[in-house]
Amino acid sequence: MLFSGRAYPALADEVAQLMNVDIVPTRSLNYANSEIYVRFEESVRGCDAYVIQSHAAPVNEWVMEQLIMVDALKRASAKRITVVAPFYPYARQDKKHAGREPISARLIADLYKTAGADRLMSVDLHAAQIQGFFDGPVDHLWALPVLSNYVESKYDTSEMTVVSPDAGRVRLADMWTDKLNCALAIIHKRRDPNVANTVAVHEVVGEVEGRVCLLVDDMIDTAGTICQAAEALMERGAKSVIAAATHPVLSGPAVDRLTASAFEEVIVTNTLPIPEERHFDRLTVLSIAPLIARAITEVFEDGSVTSLFNGQS
């Protein structure tokens, strides 16, 4: 049985259509003091439950709603509960950078487990170690096949260089180069530890002159990093620059920055809802629903999720 929170029902509906099932009717509302109430309007006893929620802003509200849905399922005797969070909340707080900081990604995993979740499914976690934060099976899905198939169908990969916008994305970029069979470049940058969302690009390691540069990342938030990276590549003679990222967070000035940037195209998936006013001409949105639907089907039928990614996870 599929259940959907209110953050992004369109994605859950698409997954349900691909699986030929219906979303379970749910009564969800906010009381006057902002408390959330959830009730499922049919029996869930003994079911294999999949609770889909995309954690767009306001993140805290949608996390709480999903936890309440999981608790309701547990108390209604669902046999197994799988949390489907295409964009894992608080994923960037996966380690301590300084003293007296939280590791909020671990806290979220603990909250899901305490609420009653048996299994977790997410797409492109910001850090792979988050899989170990949850005490139970974690299905870590990759958007790479969805994004790379589109890039291969539209661009000549023989003149392409995959570029990691920082040291943390090198493994992701390396996987892209294996898939597209092309060169790799890395941008070395430093952040100001005292100022949030600011970066300073330093140097490009690799051959980018005269090449079509593909910047790859797991998310585009305020777009500061990726736009500065695009600028650095164009200054070093890149023929053109395109971007591919899984999660279109697109906070604050992101759309203005991307619109004014050198990008020929920005390719993302629909793990998060993008309001109509946040769309722009060079934005391409690919559907992640077929991947999620296939993964849920494999889990339900006791098949192999890693078979969707050639045995890697």
Side-chain angles (χ1 to χ4, degrees):
M1 299 177 83
L2 286 185
F3 305 82
S4 173
R6 292 174 292 169
Y8 192 12
L11 177 61
D13 288 341
E14 193 179 344
V15 171
Q17 286 175 13
L18 289 165
M19 296 180 68
N20 292 317
V21 299
D22 294 322
I23 299 287
V24 173
T26 306
R27 182 169 177 245
S28 305
L29 54 90
N30 287 52
Y31 289 123
N33 69 344
S34 81
E35 288 181 0
I36 297 169
Y37 169 84
V38 172
R39 181 179 184 270
F40 304 117
E41 297 187 327
E42 59 184 66
S43 174
V44 299
R45 184 179 298 275
C47 80
D48 196 350
Y50 296 83
V51 186
I52 304 175
Q53 180 80 297
S54 290
H55 297 96
V59 174
N60 296 339
E61 181 171 351
W62 302 134
V63 167
M64 199 66 210
E65 182 180 78
Q66 193 173 29
L67 291 169
I68 289 169
M69 293 172 76
V70 170
D71 185 73
L73 286 165
K74 178 180 70 175
R75 295 176 191 283
S77 301
K79 182 178 71 176
R80 180 173 67 171
I81 304 166
T82 301
V83 163
V84 183
F87 178 63
Y88 188 91
Y90 288 88
R92 282 171 285 186
Q93 297 184 36
D94 62 303
K95 58 183 175 290
K96 291 175 68 173
H97 298 276
R100 300 174 298 282
E101 283 187 348
I103 302 180
S104 305
R106 169 61 195 260
L107 173 63
I108 293 292
D110 288 344
L111 288 169
Y112 283 139
K113 191 67 180 178
T114 301
D118 301 296
R119 191 180 193 101
L120 188 61
M121 184 179 291
S122 192
V123 182
D124 281 346
L125 292 168
H126 185 66
Q129 70 258 26
I130 292 172
Q131 295 175 82
F133 292 173
F134 183 76
D135 186 17
V138 176
D139 299 303
H140 185 200
L141 312 183
W142 292 348
L144 175 61
V146 177
L147 294 164
S148 62
N149 288 344
Y150 174 84
V151 170
E152 280 185 299
S153 69
K154 186 168 180 181
Y155 294 93
D156 179 6
T157 56
S158 66
E159 60 173 12
M160 184 174 282
T161 296
V162 173
V163 184
S164 170
D166 57 42
R169 298 294 111 194
V170 172
R171 181 173 179 268
L172 173 65
D174 203 33
M175 288 161 58
W176 271 89
T177 59
D178 290 343
K179 181 82 169 100
L180 301 180
N181 193 28
C182 59
L184 172 68
I186 302 164
I187 292 179
H188 173 66
K189 67 163 194 183
R190 283 180 62 84
R191 289 185 180 274
D192 183 340
N194 299 313
V195 184
N197 296 320
T198 59
V199 296
V201 173
H202 282 265
E203 56 184 312
V204 177
V205 182
E207 186 56 54
V208 299
E209 189 172 346
R211 310 280 292 175
V212 175
C213 292
L214 172 64
L215 275 161
V216 296
D217 211 339
D218 64 320
M219 71 178 79
I220 300 176
D221 189 355
T222 59
T225 298
I226 208 158
C227 286
Q228 281 198 13
E231 199 176 302
L233 292 170
M234 293 304 287
E235 285 172 1
R236 285 158 179 78
K239 181 178 176 182
S240 63
V241 184
I242 56 178
T246 306
H247 308 297
V249 183
L250 302 181
S251 304
V255 172
D256 292 337
R257 285 174 173 171
L258 291 167
T259 303
S261 72
F263 285 114
E264 184 178 308
E265 185 175 16
V266 178
I267 309 156
V268 297
T269 74
N270 63 341
T271 55
L272 291 166
I274 306 174
E276 198 60 43
E277 67 273 11
R278 308 294 285 172
H279 281 262
F280 54 97
D281 289 343
R282 287 171 285 170
L283 181 69
T284 299
V285 183
L286 307 176
S287 179
I288 202 72
L291 180 65
I292 294 173
R294 286 173 62 198
I296 290 175
T297 300
E298 290 292 343
V299 171
F300 178 69
E301 295 177 351
D302 294 327
S304 170
V305 174
T306 55
S307 68
L308 305 178
F309 310 106
N310 299 319
Q312 293 179 297
S313 66

